[in-house]
Amino acid sequence: MSDPRPNRYQLGPDVVEVQRAPEPGVGRSFYRAFRETLRGLKTTLGRFAEGTVTIQYPEEKTPVYPRFRGRHKLHKFEAEIDGTAGLEKCVGCSLCAAACPADCIRVVAADNDPENPTSAGERYAAVYEINLARCIFCGYCELACPFDAITLGHDYELSDYNRSDLIFTKDMLLDEPAERTPLRREGE
Amino acid sequence: MSSNLQYRSPYTVVDALPPGYSRRPAGEPERATITFTIDGQEIQAPEGIMVVDAAKYGGVEIPVFCYEPKLGAPVGACRMCLVEIEGIPKLQTACSTPVRDGMVVVTKSERVVEAQNGVVEFILLNHPLDCPVCDKGGECPLQDISYGWGGGESRMVEPKRHFEKPVALSDAIAIDRERCILCYRCVRFSQEVSEDYQLVLLDRGAGAHVGTFDGTQYIAPFSGNIVELCPVGALTSRAYRFRARPWDVEQGGSVCTLCPAQCNVSYTVRDEQVMRTLSRENAGVDDGWLCDKGRFAYEAWESDARITTPLVRQGDKLMPARWEVALTAAANILKKSGPRTAALAGGATTNEEGWLLRRLMLDGLGSPHFDSRRGGEFDFDVARTLANPALAATMPDVEWADALLVLDCEPVDDMPVLDLRIRKGVRRNGVKLAIASARPSSLDAGATRVARIAPGGAEAFTQALLAALGDGGDVETLCENAGADAAEVRAIADLLAGAKRPVIVWSERLAVTGRGAAPLRAICNLADRLGIAAKDGAGLLEVPLSANARGLREIGLLPTAAPGLMHCDNPGLDATGIAAACGEEISALVLMNTDPLSDYDDPTAWSAALAKAGAVISFSTWMDAATARHADVVFPAEVGPEKDGTVTHPDGRIQRLRQTVERAGEVNAGWWVLNELGRRVGVDLGVKVANQATAQIANHVGIYAGVTTAELGGDGVRWQERDAAANLPRPARTTFDLTPPPAAPSSDGYLRLGVFRSLWSGGEVVNAATLATLAAAPRRVELSPVDGERLGLTSGDAVTVKTGDGEMSAVVALRDAVPAGFAFVSADLRLDEGDEAAVATLGRALASTEERSAEVTK
Ligand code: SF4
Ligand code: SF4
Ligand code: SF4
Ligand code: SF4
Ligand code: FES
């Protein structure tokens, strides 16, 4: 039985004509082949003139932005106001621990001895630990601290061989960052 | 931790019944339901409750500081709860305005918000805002309310008021007066709840501050509650000082097992250590209060004095041993002595431990000699009558009774939180209180009637009461025997007879007077005479001598009864019998959480018995006298927050203990130790997890049939209210023939000696830093000022108290309330060497109604 519908899809004679550009000459062919190479060479040769930019890490270090968030520091009072110089600013309030999204701060507070105070408040942090292996360097602890006792510094050299060595204790955080990267010595 | 044991938010919609109530107490008036409008929504609430509470039915939160329903009538001190009520021009305090039908309340209008901002600003005027160093920070209503309802800014530039801080209000509590917002909660607690009348608000205006009137320490048995009440960080616990923040900790609900009150607690846990104990309000048990012993005992559990390893005796020393060694040593003792082994349990022993101990003894060793009572005859009919659900008073019944008799019991020492419940009933619900006790009771002041009886005269008093109620017998003679005033006894009889809901609170001490079950029979008769069974809201409440005495009795840790107070074919020796048979019929003794030398009434007999008993195995938390001197093997016992299991409240509420911290040191679960011992003596107790023991109880104890920990939940269930209560065997008779009581002890011209045990004793008190000063108080002898003058003694004098067979040293305390001719000696049995004679003397005086007189000399 033949299909009663009209066949709309019958192909007619199908001729495609291709338009071609004229054949290039020798010079133009060369240019087309090496144009990008030459552009690259121009940049290379141009940089030669500027001198080296490689930073010899770890002997040399890239400067960080002022608001870079690196390893934490705990601070002490420096100025002599009401005899507080040298006392820890941290009162062990645990607010940083509450703010920390990675839950990596542990504070155990204790009663300050008024005769021989550790901090300037009624309490002080007997234990203050940050697990830097878990820290995401968000800086919330710094925001939360009512005494500006903790800030994030510029030190980013934090790798170690042992995870537990990345739990920084209060003494470590009060100290200047230790020199942790092996440097090439004179003559090495 | 399951949610039903957790802290309850005060802002959830209140249930029709408070947690822990299964029914409204009979005496509590019904309230009609009314409809009122709050913030545009129409809601229904019981008539007459305060607007703050009514608002919760519609989920509306009104901020409060001073309002605390536990403290009684509101005072409207802080003005934080101001709301607009249609028809009243001024803003009203929602905490002290009862809700009425058709009332229209607005809590969010501009006027209200302005007022709330103003109140917060005003409250913060002098507040130091030292949240970072403040222990309340993170759980502080002042922080929350400032944040939620405050304006956010202060205009105060002037200097704030300053006080010296922190100051010790007592060993337990530090006060920071700068932080105080003068809400009066602590003062109201002291004045109207615990009625110790010590805290007051001193000075006025900006100088107003909380303190004791004369600047002495605030020392009271319930002082710790004010720390929980204070809505700011003005009152803080010194023991908890700076130990944790709310986000550092978890709360775990359990039950305190230091006394029969079995208050519901919530332990604050940090790093597997209990940091503090908070109340977990259960209206059916504790009403939201704790005593200081329960609150600060956790300090003792951390102390070095606690036994945390198994010990085995080598020579005359107890040496730490491995579990395997200790278990084998204990099993060898048990195997060797077999049916000649006896066991005593007390204190915080759970139903499960009691059950497994019973099975170990019966199934493992074939010995029926175990007891959880302190002695005294066990009469089935009496026990079953007294357990009759129709005669049982609940804790709320105590508060809603119309006449309450407290018989030979000092609640503040025997079951502290009951003391607060009674005071509440008297103060707020007009309970008519009658006291019959030898030593002046701290409840005397609020009592309608006080009958002073001779020490040991409680049985005669009960019979005199019966006679006065028309039960036969001669009132005068019986009163003479009781050492009581006949007119007073008659007045008490009238009071009880005329009551619709008489409740009688009596002490288990009546069962161990040396008169067998006779005093209890008199109580049964009294219940019958007063028609208690037929009266809704009337009942009896026994105050047991140890924390879980009721549970242990009911699961069958009795020599003469099977579980569920059922008949038992093969009775064994009871505690008194065991003491007598040690060395003969009994060759080994198991002590579970009990020290017979200080818990039982006859230390001399027990001292001899323990020395003669071939071997002693002790489950103990502390190196108590019996353990130190006589134990051959010591198993370290778990303390409250380490335990899993169930206990039974004196009013029949089965409550669940849940483990919230790791067991200290090498401590193992009590059920595990018993199961291991069973295995070694050849019986499989079949317990691999704690609630398998609960399941065994549910299968074998008729009146506890089918009980599961899930059913108990956080609030517990009274077994009398379960269907299984029908399994309680009926007594053959409920009234008894009484034998005449012994004549009143004569004093032979000396003083009559009475003995009392104070709350402040036991390892938990001695080893808790906060409580130690209270425990260290020297033995007291209380005299009347008349005798004081006659003997030339004043308070504080060191004296020697001589009795027929011994003497002891004590310090005089003159008390106006002590009747002339009596001397009351505190029997906090601290068995230091050399104190033995005193202890023996006291112990016997505690126990007997015999002639007991004392001579007090400088
Ligand atoms: S920087 Fe962020 S993640 Fe790291 S300690 Fe601070 S709050 Fe925690
Ligand atoms: S560092 Fe700051 S926020 Fe953290 S505990 Fe110390 S004072 Fe509190
Ligand atoms: S009482 Fe509350 S608001 Fe006041 S200092 Fe303490 S935490 Fe802050
Ligand atoms: S100390 Fe606390 S509870 Fe007492 S009045 Fe002050 S704020 Fe209120
Ligand atoms: S809560 Fe209403 S006045 Fe304080």
Side-chain angles (χ1 to χ4, degrees):
Chain A
M1 250 207 342
S2 67
D3 191 337
R5 288 172 299 180
N7 188 348
R8 291 205 194 109
Y9 302 108
Q10 254 167 12
L11 294 176
D14 188 11
V15 180
V16 179
E17 288 204 15
V18 181
Q19 303 253 331
R20 290 179 197 280
E23 288 290 318
V26 175
R28 194 163 174 80
S29 302
F30 182 83
Y31 178 70
R32 274 174 64 178
F34 291 102
R35 180 178 58 185
E36 293 307 304
T37 315
L38 291 174
R39 264 198 341 137
L41 259 178
K42 183 181 155 209
T43 309
T44 311
L45 296 175
R47 288 288 180 270
F48 262 125
E50 282 176 18
T52 53
V53 292
T54 308
I55 292 179
Q56 291 300 322
Y57 186 81
E59 285 80 10
E60 285 172 41
K61 285 173 189 168
T62 335
V64 295
Y65 283 94
R67 288 171 57 187
F68 180 85
R69 300 191 299 264
R71 199 209 83 162
H72 310 65
K73 271 188 197 159
L74 279 173
H75 297 278
K76 292 186 172 175
F77 284 102
E78 276 151 21
E80 183 62 62
I81 309 165
D82 302 336
T84 52
L87 294 183
E88 287 165 17
K89 285 187 175 176
C90 172
V91 295
C93 69
S94 270
L95 285 176
C96 45
C100 177
D103 202 5
C104 64
I105 307 184
R106 176 181 145 87
V107 184
V108 179
D111 214 337
N112 218 356
D113 175 6
E115 302 304 312
N116 185 18
T118 311
S119 81
E122 262 179 62
R123 60 198 271 164
Y124 74 99
V127 174
Y128 191 103
E129 289 170 355
I130 301 185
N131 183 347
L132 286 175
R134 280 170 75 176
C135 174
I136 57 168
F137 299 96
C138 63
Y140 284 9
C141 45
E142 177 174 336
L143 281 177
C145 181
F147 294 103
D148 293 339
I150 189 157
T151 57
L152 273 69
H154 289 174
D155 179 26
Y156 50 79
E157 291 164 336
L158 294 166
S159 48
D160 217 315
Y161 293 103
N162 218 323
R163 279 194 195 88
S164 53
D165 289 346
L166 285 169
I167 300 175
F168 276 51
T169 62
K170 188 170 95 171
D171 293 335
M172 294 159 83
L173 292 167
L174 278 167
D175 260 358
E176 283 305 310
E179 201 59 76
R180 296 166 73 81
T181 23
L183 294 185
R184 199 176 301 156
R185 274 178 290 269
E186 261 340 294
E188 225 176 302
Chain B
M1 277 158 243
S2 101
S3 60
N4 57 8
L5 286 170
Q6 287 291 304
Y7 165 77
R8 286 186 196 92
S9 157
Y11 299 122
T12 47
V13 178
V14 281
D15 296 327
L17 284 173
Y21 273 37
S22 49
R23 60 176 169 89
R24 199 158 277 291
E28 191 176 337
E30 285 277 339
R31 289 181 190 272
T33 303
I34 52 100
T35 309
F36 78 112
T37 311
I38 187 158
D39 292 343
Q41 66 172 306
E42 250 191 28
I43 48 178
Q44 300 202 314
E47 187 178 20
I49 64 170
M50 298 301 159
V51 173
V52 210
D53 289 330
K56 292 177 192 165
Y57 284 80
V60 175
E61 183 180 349
I62 299 172
V64 297
F65 284 120
C66 67
Y67 180 59
E68 171 52 74
K70 287 198 286 187
L71 294 173
V75 290
C78 71
R79 319 311 285 179
M80 191 60 235
C81 59
L82 290 174
V83 292
E84 217 174 319
I85 296 176
E86 216 174 82
I88 309 181
K90 281 192 171 184
L91 297 181
Q92 297 296 305
T93 48
C95 72
S96 42
T97 311
V99 68
R100 284 215 249 127
D101 199 35
M103 206 178 230
V104 179
V105 183
V106 181
T107 71
K108 299 194 169 69
S109 69
E110 218 171 281
R111 260 176 89 204
V112 173
V113 171
E114 195 190 337
Q116 288 169 336
N117 290 349
V119 171
V120 169
E121 187 177 4
F122 191 56
I123 285 176
L124 291 179
L125 272 190
N126 272 317
H127 193 82
L129 283 174
D130 47 4
C131 310
V133 294
C134 175
D135 247 345
K136 196 78 173 180
E139 50 188 2
C140 176
L142 182 53
Q143 286 183 327
D144 296 348
I145 291 174
S146 301
Y147 195 75
W149 286 270
E153 254 167 66
S154 165
R155 289 168 291 172
M156 172 88 168
V157 288
E158 291 77 15
K160 298 193 171 191
R161 68 171 180 171
H162 283 293
F163 282 110
E164 194 194 319
K165 68 186 222 171
V167 177
L169 192 60
S170 69
D171 283 347
I173 301 163
I175 182 168
D176 184 322
R177 293 162 296 178
E178 289 181 355
R179 292 183 197 145
C180 171
I181 61 166
L182 305 177
C183 72
Y184 278 93
R185 280 190 183 197
C186 54
V187 175
R188 283 161 72 205
F189 176 80
S190 167
Q191 303 280 338
E192 294 172 25
V193 178
S194 72
E195 300 183 341
D196 53 54
Y197 305 110
Q198 294 186 45
L199 287 186
V200 285
L201 215 60
L202 300 157
D203 293 355
R204 290 297 175 260
H209 63 275
V210 168
T212 52
F213 185 70
D214 49 2
T216 48
Q217 293 215 333
Y218 176 45
I219 294 176
F222 304 100
S223 69
N225 288 302
I226 62 171
V227 171
E228 246 181 282
L229 281 173
C230 183
V232 297
L235 298 170
T236 49
S237 154
R238 294 179 69 191
Y240 182 63
R241 194 167 159 78
F242 303 153
R243 287 182 73 177
R245 286 283 188 210
W247 50 85
D248 294 329
V249 300
E250 284 184 297
Q251 294 293 130
S254 193
V255 173
C256 172
T257 49
L258 294 178
C259 87
Q262 294 181 7
C263 300
N264 291 193
V265 295
S266 176
Y267 296 111
T268 297
V269 179
R270 183 182 195 187
D271 299 337
E272 292 300 337
Q273 267 204 329
V274 176
M275 292 277 137
R276 67 176 166 183
T277 311
L278 297 178
S279 156
R280 185 167 59 88
E281 184 168 353
N282 185 339
V285 177
D286 50 46
D287 223 9
W289 307 121
L290 293 181
C291 76
D292 285 3
K293 185 170 173 181
R295 190 178 293 275
F296 296 109
Y298 70 90
E299 287 186 288
W301 296 331
E302 287 168 18
S303 76
D304 295 338
R306 215 189 128 182
I307 304 175
T308 53
T309 57
L311 306 171
V312 172
R313 188 171 294 278
Q314 284 165 7
D316 38 335
K317 272 228 178 86
L318 279 166
M319 302 299 281
R322 284 183 301 116
W323 270 101
E324 199 49 44
V325 175
L327 284 168
T328 311
N332 287 342
I333 292 173
L334 294 179
K335 270 191 278 190
K336 191 164 141 228
S337 123
R340 296 173 66 220
T341 314
L344 299 173
T349 307
T350 58
N351 293 341
E352 284 69 17
E353 287 164 340
W355 173 257
L356 295 175
L357 179 62
R358 179 177 195 279
R359 285 197 57 204
L360 176 72
M361 297 297 292
L362 267 185
D363 305 348
L365 306 169
S367 158
H369 313 302
F370 42 80
D371 204 354
S372 59
R373 297 165 78 243
R374 300 274 167 88
E377 176 194 354
F378 182 84
D379 179 322
F380 272 106
D381 290 331
V382 169
R384 290 173 186 171
T385 305
L386 291 173
N388 177 2
L391 292 185
T394 64
M395 287 295 280
D397 284 342
V398 170
E399 158 193 340
W400 290 101
D402 49 4
L404 177 68
L405 171 64
V406 177
L407 181 54
D408 205 18
C409 168
E410 172 64 324
V412 75
D413 285 329
D414 299 342
M415 188 172 160
V417 160
L418 176 64
D419 175 85
L420 295 184
R421 185 72 78 140
I422 295 175
R423 286 175 195 277
K424 180 180 176 193
V426 171
R427 178 175 282 270
R428 294 191 218 159
N429 306 335
V431 173
K432 294 227 169 20
L433 175 65
I435 308 263
S437 69
R439 178 170 170 251
S441 161
S442 60
L443 288 169
D444 282 355
T448 311
R449 291 277 157 206
V450 178
R452 277 291 89 83
I453 57 178
E459 183 193 354
F461 171 84
T462 316
Q463 291 201 17
L465 211 50
L466 278 166
L469 286 165
D471 219 22
D474 176 29
V475 185
E476 310 296 328
T477 333
L478 288 165
C479 284
E480 182 116 338
N481 287 354
D485 175 25
E488 203 65 38
V489 174
R490 285 212 171 86
I492 294 179
D494 289 344
L495 188 66
L496 291 174
K500 283 212 255 349
R501 296 177 302 275
V503 171
I504 299 171
V505 173
W506 57 281
S507 165
E508 194 194 350
R509 202 165 292 134
L510 263 76
V512 288
T513 53
R515 292 263 307 148
L520 307 193
R521 291 196 185 102
I523 290 185
C524 294
N525 285 8
L526 186 59
D528 179 73
R529 188 79 213 169
L530 294 172
I532 283 180
K535 291 181 180 168
D536 206 9
L540 305 176
L541 182 72
E542 175 188 352
V543 176
L545 289 175
S546 74
N548 188 29
R550 175 159 198 161
L552 294 178
R553 223 182 291 160
E554 289 175 346
I555 56 103
L557 200 68
L558 292 175
T560 41
L565 302 180
M566 300 299 277
H567 178 74
C568 138
D569 293 325
N570 174 24
L573 295 168
D574 68 359
T576 323
I578 293 171
C582 269
E584 286 146 41
E585 226 172 300
I586 299 298
S587 59
L589 198 54
V590 181
L591 303 175
M592 183 168 258
N593 300 320
T594 188
D595 169 15
L597 294 180
S598 59
D599 293 346
Y600 287 62
D601 281 338
D602 201 343
T604 327
W606 276 108
S607 205
L610 285 164
K612 278 190 284 175
V616 177
I617 300 169
S618 172
F619 291 74
S620 183
T621 314
W622 311 107
M623 234 347 136
D624 50 51
T627 306
R629 295 181 197 175
H630 303 286
D632 297 285
V633 181
V634 182
F635 294 120
E638 299 161 284
V639 295
E642 299 170 358
K643 274 194 179 200
D644 257 322
T646 60
V647 288
T648 308
H649 187 272
D651 81 355
R653 184 178 297 270
I654 312 173
Q655 308 203 80
R656 182 176 181 194
L657 300 172
R658 295 198 63 171
Q659 189 184 359
T660 50
V661 296
E662 280 294 319
R663 298 184 186 87
E666 290 172 44
V667 179
N668 261 322
W671 57 262
W672 181 85
V673 182
L674 289 163
N675 192 58
E676 285 297 305
L677 286 176
R679 204 162 61 79
R680 285 174 168 75
V681 299
V683 55
D684 179 14
L685 297 181
V687 185
K688 293 192 179 64
V689 289
N691 60 13
Q692 281 177 308
T694 316
Q696 291 181 9
I697 291 178
N699 285 335
H700 291 98
V701 181
I703 52 178
Y704 290 6
V707 72
T708 59
T709 44
E711 184 191 345
L712 299 181
D715 294 328
V717 177
R718 291 183 66 235
W719 66 257
Q720 293 96 329
E721 286 160 17
R722 302 174 72 247
D723 295 339
N727 296 336
L728 182 75
R730 296 189 144 280
R733 49 190 310 183
T734 54
T735 53
F736 304 87
D737 300 330
L738 304 179
T739 47
S746 104
S747 52
D748 305 333
Y750 295 117
L751 296 169
R752 274 188 197 169
L753 179 65
V755 178
F756 63 96
R757 287 183 194 232
S758 128
L759 169 65
W760 306 107
S761 56
E764 271 79 9
V765 175
V766 179
N767 297 305
T770 303
L771 305 174
T773 42
L774 292 166
R779 175 174 299 114
R780 248 177 356 147
V781 52
E782 295 178 352
L783 299 173
S784 83
V786 180
D787 290 321
E789 198 172 322
R790 185 169 58 83
L791 300 167
L793 297 171
T794 52
S795 288
D797 285 353
V799 289
T800 308
V801 181
K802 265 198 210 107
T803 69
D805 42 11
E807 58 175 56
M808 66 199 120
S809 54
V811 169
V812 173
L814 295 185
R815 273 182 79 184
D816 287 336
V818 173
F822 286 88
F824 293 98
V825 181
S826 63
D828 315 337
L829 302 178
R830 269 169 287 128
L831 259 175
D832 326 308
E833 300 277 350
D835 214 12
E836 213 102 1
V839 167
T841 317
L842 289 176
R844 269 199 304 280
L846 252 181
S848 71
T849 43
E850 289 160 29
E851 228 169 83
R852 190 74 34 207
S853 53
E855 190 187 352
V856 179
T857 46
K858 246 189 186 169

